[in-house]
Amino acid sequence: MAARRALRLFTSNAGPVTGGDGLSHPGAGERPDIQPARPPGGPSLAGRRVLVVDDEPMILEILVEHCASLGLTVYEAPDGEPALREIERHPEIEVLVTDVRMPGLDGPALAERALVLRPSLKVIFVTGYATHYSTAWPTLRKPFELDALDLALRQALLPPGQGG
């Protein structure tokens, strides 16, 4: 499967990942084939709903596949405008995982408009650009380990103390 091969590339050279919490999470690099799963004894994300937005088809596929492997119900969009339509159509979406730089409506503008529609929506930014940083929402720097996305999703979706 192309996404699995690309996943190895996506995580194999992972560097530091910075979250909205100001912490740096080092990339592993040595074990790119590890698939994050529910931590032993940790709460499941099954049934929770996420919208993943990225204009790079391979990255979108990897992120969607990973979120689905965590048990999340996944909606996807290739950029901001279709993502807004998904948010309007599916009020059950709880978290938005979005690329920062996209043609048309970029990630920060998408988040701003989405939060007007759904103030309780959580946001996780992913970006390959070192210049973007959000003080309100976690920002994962590409390439990042999928474990970092797992942690960010748990922190966004689970009650305090259960998010990892």
Side-chain angles (χ1 to χ4, degrees):
M1 169 182 273
R4 288 283 174 219
R5 285 192 301 276
L7 176 61
R8 288 189 177 101
L9 295 174
F10 194 68
T11 61
S12 65
N13 295 317
V17 175
T18 305
D21 58 4
L23 300 176
S24 180
H25 306 279
E30 296 121 10
R31 307 268 325 261
D33 56 337
I34 291 176
Q35 292 298 312
R38 187 172 97 193
S44 172
L45 294 175
R48 306 307 292 263
R49 290 163 180 89
V50 62
L51 171 61
V52 179
V53 186
D54 202 300
D55 62 320
E56 277 295 322
M58 186 64 69
I59 293 174
L60 180 61
E61 182 180 351
I62 290 167
L63 296 177
V64 165
E65 190 173 297
H66 177 69
C67 288
S69 78
L70 296 173
L72 292 158
T73 299
V74 184
Y75 302 88
E76 62 183 276
D79 59 54
E81 291 298 336
L84 274 179
R85 289 192 293 275
E86 288 294 308
I87 290 168
E88 289 170 346
R89 270 193 295 259
H90 300 284
E92 67 274 14
I93 293 171
E94 300 170 86
V95 64
L96 168 67
V97 176
T98 183
D99 190 13
V100 170
R101 295 238 176 128
M102 298 181 290
L105 188 62
D106 68 7
L110 167 61
E112 185 177 319
R113 288 180 57 186
L115 287 165
V116 168
L117 294 171
R118 303 271 315 292
S120 64
L121 190 70
K122 307 293 188 227
V123 179
I124 299 169
F125 289 114
V126 297
T127 185
Y129 295 91
T131 56
H132 176 80
Y133 181 76
S134 171
T135 57
W137 303 108
T139 300
L140 305 178
R141 305 264 179 234
K142 296 176 187 173
F144 57 84
E145 276 199 75
L146 292 174
D147 283 338
L149 177 59
D150 186 2
L151 177 62
L153 287 164
R154 288 178 185 287
Q155 289 174 340
L157 292 170
L158 298 175
Q162 292 184 13

